[in-house]
């Protein structure tokens, strides 16, 4: 399982972690201060633990969407303790228009201190420098001795594009943006209509129930 946009590679029970990248403490402190000074709501993942700077409609909504992960969200009370955690990913959550405006500030203020990208229009995600899904897939492929042309990447967000660059077959969900679709070899159904299953049926199990783009 690749999680946190490539910062974490582990078996699903987290008992065997293959790769665990995290923010440098100084960078983490700078990001937290920056987000708080900008009055932004953020969540942070530390392996399988979830933290937030404030409990509000944004962080609660994110937590509700993660209920399948069976994880509780913890409001940060002691930042000194938080800075000593291994934080793999942070996400600023806001209305879409505010995220686009904030992204312009981030490009000027954060620059090359970490990687950042939008996954959904209301998320701006931050991971350590040198981390993305494409790099993570490459590392996992080497670990498992899997060839590049044996890999299918299925995605719907801008953070999936590095994964597309590495994979042998690039598949966009129907609900992806037009730009993401333009980078794919193949388009499947959306996430509410078994899009991933159809890709597995067609390209892994051999079911010809979809036509190539």
């Amino acid at each position: 399982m690749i999680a946190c946009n490539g910062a974490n590679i582990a078996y699903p029970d987290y008992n065997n972690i293959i790769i665990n990248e995290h923010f440098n403490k100084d960078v983490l402190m700078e990001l937290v201060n920056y987000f708080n000074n900008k009055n932004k709501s953020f969540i942070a993942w530390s392996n399988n633990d979830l933290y937030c700077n404030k409990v509000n409609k944004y962080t609660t909504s994110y937590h509700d969407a993660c209920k399948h992960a069976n994880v509780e969200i913890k409001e940060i009370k002691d930042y000194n303790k938080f800075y000593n955690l291994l934080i793999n990913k942070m996400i600023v959550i806001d209305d879409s228009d505010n995220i686009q405006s904030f992204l312009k500030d981030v490009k000027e203020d954060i620059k090359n201190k970490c990687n950042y990208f939008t996954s959904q229009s209301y998320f701006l995600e931050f991971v350590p420098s040198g981390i993305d899904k494409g790099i993570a897939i490459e590392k996992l492929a080497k670990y498992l001795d899997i060839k590049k042309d044996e890999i299918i990447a299925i995605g719907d967000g801008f953070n999936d594009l590095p994964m597309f660059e590495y994979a042998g077959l690039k598949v966009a969900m129907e609900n992806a943006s037009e730009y993401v679709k333009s980078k794919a070899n193949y388009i499947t159904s959306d996430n509410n209509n078994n899009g991933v299953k159809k890709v597995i049926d067609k390209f892994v199990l051999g079911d010809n129930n979809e036509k190539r783009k």
Side-chain angles (χ1 to χ4, degrees), residues 52-81:
C52 70
N53 62 334
K54 60 186 81 172
V55 175
N56 57 24
K57 66 177 183 178
Y58 297 111
T59 54
T60 299
S61 176
Y62 183 92
H63 177 243
D64 290 345
C66 294
K67 282 186 176 178
H68 65 281
N70 195 29
V71 60
E72 293 301 319
I73 192 167
K74 306 170 187 177
E75 187 172 4
I76 303 167
K77 300 296 186 181
D78 186 337
Y79 276 96
N80 288 325
K81 289 183 179 179

Side-chain angles (χ1 to χ4, degrees), residues 188-189 193-203 209-210:
T188 187
S189 301
N193 289 285
N194 299 317
V196 174
K197 177 184 182 298
K198 291 176 181 178
V199 172
I200 294 171
D201 286 344
K202 179 175 179 62
F203 294 105
N209 64 346
E210 288 198 352

Side-chain angles (χ1 to χ4, degrees), residues 52-207:
C52 70
N53 62 334
K54 60 186 81 172
V55 175
N56 57 24
K57 66 177 183 178
Y58 297 111
T59 54
T60 299
S61 176
Y62 183 92
H63 177 243
D64 290 345
C66 294
K67 282 186 176 178
H68 65 281
N70 195 29
V71 60
E72 293 301 319
I73 192 167
K74 306 170 187 177
E75 187 172 4
I76 303 167
K77 300 296 186 181
D78 186 337
Y79 276 96
N80 288 325
K81 289 183 179 179
F82 178 76
Y83 293 141
N84 287 319
L85 297 174
L86 303 182
I87 302 300
N88 309 109
K89 178 175 76 167
M90 302 179 74
I91 306 176
V92 171
I93 311 170
D94 206 335
D95 296 332
S96 298
D97 290 344
N98 292 336
I99 286 293
Q100 290 305 310
S101 177
F102 184 54
L103 180 57
K104 295 176 183 178
D105 292 338
V106 167
K107 289 178 179 178
E108 180 64 28
D109 299 332
I110 300 299
K111 296 183 179 177
N112 298 321
K113 294 175 183 176
C114 61
N115 279 3
Y116 50 87
F117 29 69
T118 54
S119 52
Q120 302 292 337
S121 62
Y122 40 86
F123 289 157
L124 184 55
E125 306 200 15
F126 297 78
V127 294
S129 293
I131 298 299
D132 62 39
K133 290 185 179 182
I135 292 170
I137 284 183
E138 182 177 5
K139 290 178 179 178
L140 184 59
K142 290 178 180 178
Y143 180 82
L144 297 175
D145 193 24
I146 297 173
K147 297 176 183 177
K148 183 175 179 178
D149 60 6
E150 295 175 318
I151 295 173
I152 303 172
I154 308 172
D156 62 359
F158 288 98
N159 60 327
D160 294 317
L161 294 178
M163 183 170 65
F164 278 13
E165 292 177 8
Y166 184 79
L169 178 63
K170 316 162 204 331
V171 178
M173 305 294 288
E174 183 60 41
N175 53 288
S177 71
E178 292 304 316
Y179 184 78
V180 172
K181 289 179 186 178
S182 74
K183 300 297 181 181
N185 307 121
Y186 182 79
I187 298 173
T188 187
S189 301
D190 65 29
N191 54 309
N192 292 319
N193 289 285
N194 299 317
V196 174
K197 177 184 182 298
K198 291 176 181 178
V199 172
I200 294 171
D201 286 344
K202 179 175 179 62
F203 294 105
V204 180
L205 302 179
D207 181 1

